[in-house]
Amino acid sequence: MIEDGILKKTGIELEKIEYLGLMIEKEDIKKIQDFLDLHNISLIASIQPNMHITCHYFRGKGEINKNLLPDNVFLGQKFKIHISGYGELKNSDGVVLNQGLLVDKEELDKIKLADKRLTDFIDIEKPHITIAVNKQRVDGRPIAKAQDTCKCAFVSEIDQSKIDFDLTCKLAVVRFGQVYDYVVYDDYQK
């Protein structure tokens, strides 16, 4: 939010958080597009809005445990992540459902947040970025879901060239596409 020409950080109440994520910086979306263009990869749909790595998904799981979130001092900070693979998920007819990028988990493990590592806050086995999801529908129902990108067949090489580039991202909490830089706690500020 911008007030009087000054960018203000915004916060969200703990119980309203949908997920903790690493939000890809808008400037780095071009790196993803350049990668796709270099390897003649056509997207199955428009590029995903708010591209990110979901670290921990909270919605619908009951009360949120504060220990599953990093301290507020780390929210809003930028980190470099390493991309080591590209993948597609296809159905039994060979139709591409999802396209994604694999994030190097070993590199994520090197990122320190005080006495913890970033991976202490990531509960998915294969950290990834969904870049496109098939929008086709059958009987009114979508044939693909973004959360299935983890099932993509990821490869580390395309056309004999290794997939190897970095992206900048911001650690944040999200609710319905809105990105927040800190969590408002009832009892104390973590």
Side-chain angles (χ1 to χ4, degrees):
M1 170 176 24
I2 297 179
E3 290 178 12
D4 300 322
I6 299 170
L7 181 64
K8 301 284 185 186
K9 286 189 159 197
T10 57
I12 185 173
E13 293 80 21
L14 178 67
E15 65 277 359
K16 292 184 178 177
I17 297 170
E18 182 179 2
Y19 65 88
L20 171 69
L22 288 161
M23 310 305 292
I24 307 306
E25 290 288 291
K26 288 182 181 172
E27 306 82 50
D28 280 11
I29 302 300
K30 180 161 179 13
K31 285 185 181 179
I32 294 171
Q33 188 62 58
D34 290 346
F35 164 79
L36 296 170
D37 292 345
L38 177 67
H39 296 289
N40 296 316
I41 298 170
S42 297
L43 291 179
I44 53 175
S46 57
I47 204 158
Q48 284 290 100
N50 273 348
M51 266 199 263
H52 64 277
I53 302 161
T54 300
C55 297
H56 195 98
Y57 191 78
F58 296 104
R59 195 170 75 192
K61 294 185 178 180
E63 189 174 322
I64 296 173
N65 180 341
K66 292 178 236 184
N67 295 322
L68 297 176
L69 292 166
D71 291 343
N72 273 334
V73 70
F74 297 108
L75 295 176
Q77 284 193 13
K78 294 182 181 180
F79 300 96
K80 289 275 187 197
I81 60 168
H82 186 74
I83 303 301
S84 60
Y86 166 79
E88 296 179 346
L89 174 64
K90 296 179 181 181
N91 67 13
S92 58
D93 295 327
V95 174
V96 177
L97 303 176
N98 296 55
Q99 292 170 295
L101 296 172
L102 184 65
V103 179
D104 189 323
K105 193 169 185 174
E106 289 178 13
E107 290 297 318
L108 285 176
D109 199 44
K110 294 176 184 176
I111 299 173
K112 300 285 186 185
L113 305 179
D115 61 341
K116 294 189 176 187
R117 298 173 312 223
L118 179 58
T119 51
D120 291 335
F121 300 99
I122 298 175
D123 72 342
I124 55 175
E125 188 176 324
K126 282 193 248 180
H128 62 275
I129 300 165
T130 300
I131 53 177
V133 177
N134 194 317
K135 301 296 183 202
Q136 291 180 39
R137 299 176 88 74
V138 173
D139 298 327
R141 300 176 77 183
I143 64 169
K145 299 180 282 188
Q147 60 260 39
D148 289 338
T149 303
C150 63
K151 300 174 187 173
C152 284
F154 290 104
V155 295
S156 61
E157 291 186 9
I158 296 178
D159 302 328
Q160 275 85 46
S161 73
K162 187 174 180 182
I163 300 169
D164 182 24
F165 62 98
D166 292 333
L167 297 172
T168 302
C169 55
K170 176 174 89 167
L171 186 61
V173 287
V174 180
R175 178 178 173 89
F176 303 128
Q178 296 294 318
V179 179
Y180 299 89
D181 291 329
Y182 67 90
V183 179
V184 177
Y185 295 97
D186 288 336
D187 50 353
Y188 68 97
Q189 280 293 43
K190 187 174 172 186

